[in-house]
Amino acid sequence: MDRKAQILQTAADLLQTRSFSAFSYQHLAERLGIRKASIHYHFPTKEHLGEALTQHYLDAYRAHLAAIDRQHRDPWERLEAFLDAAAEIRRSGDKICAGGAFQAEHNLLPQRICEGVAALLAHVRSWLAGVLAEGRGQGVMHFPGQAAHQAALTVAALQGALQNGRCEGDELYEAVVGQLRAGLRGEG
Amino acid sequence: MDRKAQILQTAADLLQTRSFSAFSYQHLAERLGIRKASIHYHFPTKEHLGEALTQHYLDAYRAHLAAIDRQHRDPWERLEAFLDAAAEIRRSGDKICAGGAFQAEHNLLPQRICEGVAALLAHVRSWLAGVLAEGRGQGVMHFPGQAAHQAALTVAALQGALQNGRCEGDELYEAVVGQLRAGLRGEG
DNA sequence: GACAGCCTACCTACTGGTAGGTAGATTGGG
DNA sequence: CCCAATCTACCTACCAGTAGGTAGGCTGTC
């Protein structure tokens, strides 16, 4: 992995543990064992770094969701594979969803970063809406109204659950995800 | 309103628009037309201010939820009155839930502030679980499993919806809340 | 094959600005 | 007179970003 990718990886980690404005080029430099100015060489300003981060996440999500589609046909299996990504974040113990981390600072961020975050989340919601619509079409998932709305609810609840879970523990996270699952199974 | 309460009110506003570490004593001083040092007189450190903020929100929520209980008997009316509080935040255009704002910075905050936030959200969830259990008991609300879990889902989804809504607009917020309502009505 | 010129990747040292916080003087009402 | 509240003036630490320089690899030309 070249230096630029290393910086991006480290920045992604710091974003999800500390938030965007609360990590500095100095933090990155210390973690990577190089000087602050060297990071400015790769990412001239923090806005550039932020934009690169949103692109990084968008690419990663695109690849991940495409891989899920290749590996699974069944809507429930696809949904569970998607939920695994959130569970992975939760397992780290001190991370939250990258989208949520950015959104919490919406009023402080350059517009281009906000647009990148919106594009990222729109992509995820759109994929999820497809899975949910398919599941309902097959009669194995149950929810009212539009699939896009159920996808919005699911994403919002997962973001909230990751934040709540980081502060208050796994039971709370599991409660939210379990309730989402139970609702879709039509147990309501 | 005395100065201390004014500071707290202004800090609450800045917390919900900018987050805790992204507002400064300087910001507060400018908004209030006084000097930075005068705020240190009322709140010696930012940790003190943060703790006072969590207590402020806890008091406010306790009073608000008690008022809802006095004004409404019907579970659906109580729930709608609760949702109005979130809608009020959304209407401001640039605010999110105070709990969410604090949680997004969990790894940066003093422990006492985190505990205050957890206590605040636990109180809200507990009240909400009561309303939901009552609604299901009367046969007018429908959801699977424990009422406490449905309350956790509801709070997480609302937090997420406020964050998503601030970045991407009202339709997204409305989609999430509408979906929560539809689920409870048993349309799934 | 030698060497001039350029490029990448990093460095040290600095700037202006802002953060939280403190010491001590001043002011004004009971 | 007292003392609560506010002030001026300062501190140290950190922020993003810049200036200017260096070591070493690549490339094109004679």
Side-chain angles (χ1 to χ4, degrees):
Chain A
M1 186 162 58
D2 68 352
R3 182 66 13 123
K4 198 162 181 170
Q6 275 180 32
I7 295 172
L8 224 38
Q9 191 59 50
T10 309
D13 190 77
L14 285 166
L15 169 70
Q16 291 181 256
T17 52
R18 295 179 57 94
S19 92
F20 188 69
S21 32
F23 80 79
S24 69
Y25 274 40
Q26 192 56 49
H27 290 129
L28 286 169
E30 276 160 22
R31 285 215 189 178
L32 292 164
I34 57 174
R35 300 291 132 182
K36 204 163 65 88
S38 309
I39 301 171
H40 279 286
Y41 169 79
H42 294 284
F43 301 97
T45 72
K46 213 175 173 189
E47 178 165 355
H48 286 98
L49 177 57
E51 265 190 79
L53 268 175
T54 62
Q55 192 60 50
H56 166 82
Y57 281 111
L58 182 55
D59 293 344
Y61 259 104
R62 263 200 245 272
H64 180 59
L65 298 179
I68 291 179
D69 283 343
R70 276 195 308 278
Q71 284 162 34
H72 304 282
R73 284 278 168 277
D74 178 63
W76 266 107
E77 285 181 23
R78 284 183 176 171
L79 178 66
E80 288 298 338
F82 173 76
L83 292 177
D84 271 348
E88 183 64 37
I89 296 173
R90 185 73 274 283
R91 245 173 269 131
S92 79
D94 59 358
K95 286 190 188 176
I96 57 172
C97 163
F102 272 124
Q103 284 183 337
E105 301 192 282
H106 173 260
N107 293 340
L108 289 85
L109 298 175
Q111 203 189 335
R112 306 194 49 172
I113 297 184
C114 293
E115 287 164 6
V117 175
L120 164 64
L121 287 168
H123 180 73
V124 172
R125 275 193 298 267
S126 151
W127 178 88
L128 194 53
V131 172
L132 293 168
E134 171 97 14
R136 187 164 60 175
Q138 294 181 15
V140 295
M141 289 182 183
H142 309 274
F143 56 87
Q146 299 177 29
H149 291 181
Q150 184 69 23
L153 168 63
T154 306
V155 170
L158 281 174
Q159 283 187 1
L162 284 169
Q163 292 176 21
N164 279 283
R166 180 168 71 170
C167 298
E168 303 180 52
D170 268 336
E171 320 84 65
L172 196 48
Y173 173 78
E174 292 299 339
V176 174
V177 178
Q179 203 68 10
L180 278 175
R181 277 199 194 93
L184 281 177
R185 278 197 300 267
E187 297 174 5
Chain B
M1 188 162 56
D2 69 349
R3 182 65 15 119
K4 199 161 180 172
Q6 274 180 33
I7 295 172
L8 224 38
Q9 191 58 52
T10 308
D13 190 77
L14 285 167
L15 168 71
Q16 291 182 256
T17 51
R18 295 179 58 93
S19 93
F20 188 68
S21 31
F23 81 80
S24 67
Y25 274 41
Q26 192 57 48
H27 291 130
L28 286 170
E30 277 160 22
R31 283 215 191 176
L32 293 164
I34 57 175
R35 300 293 132 179
K36 209 159 64 87
S38 310
I39 301 171
H40 279 286
Y41 171 77
H42 294 284
F43 300 98
T45 73
K46 211 176 174 189
E47 180 168 353
H48 286 99
L49 177 57
E51 266 191 77
L53 268 175
T54 62
Q55 192 60 50
H56 166 82
Y57 281 111
L58 182 55
D59 293 344
Y61 258 105
R62 262 201 244 273
H64 181 59
L65 299 179
I68 291 180
D69 283 342
R70 277 196 307 278
Q71 284 164 32
H72 304 282
R73 285 277 169 276
D74 178 64
W76 266 107
E77 285 181 23
R78 284 182 176 172
L79 179 66
E80 288 298 339
F82 174 76
L83 291 177
D84 271 347
E88 183 65 36
I89 296 173
R90 184 75 274 283
R91 245 172 270 132
S92 79
D94 60 358
K95 286 190 188 176
I96 56 172
C97 163
F102 273 124
Q103 283 184 336
E105 301 192 282
H106 172 261
N107 292 341
L108 289 85
L109 299 175
Q111 203 190 334
R112 306 195 49 172
I113 296 184
C114 293
E115 288 164 5
V117 175
L120 164 65
L121 286 167
H123 180 74
V124 172
R125 275 192 298 268
S126 153
W127 178 87
L128 194 53
V131 172
L132 293 168
E134 171 97 14
R136 186 164 60 175
Q138 294 183 14
V140 296
M141 289 181 183
H142 309 273
F143 56 88
Q146 299 177 29
H149 291 180
Q150 183 68 24
L153 168 62
T154 306
V155 169
L158 281 174
Q159 283 185 2
L162 285 169
Q163 291 175 22
N164 279 283
R166 180 168 70 170
C167 299
E168 305 181 50
D170 269 336
E171 320 83 65
L172 195 48
Y173 173 78
E174 292 298 339
V176 174
V177 178
Q179 204 67 12
L180 277 174
R181 276 199 194 94
L184 282 176
R185 279 198 299 265
E187 299 173 6

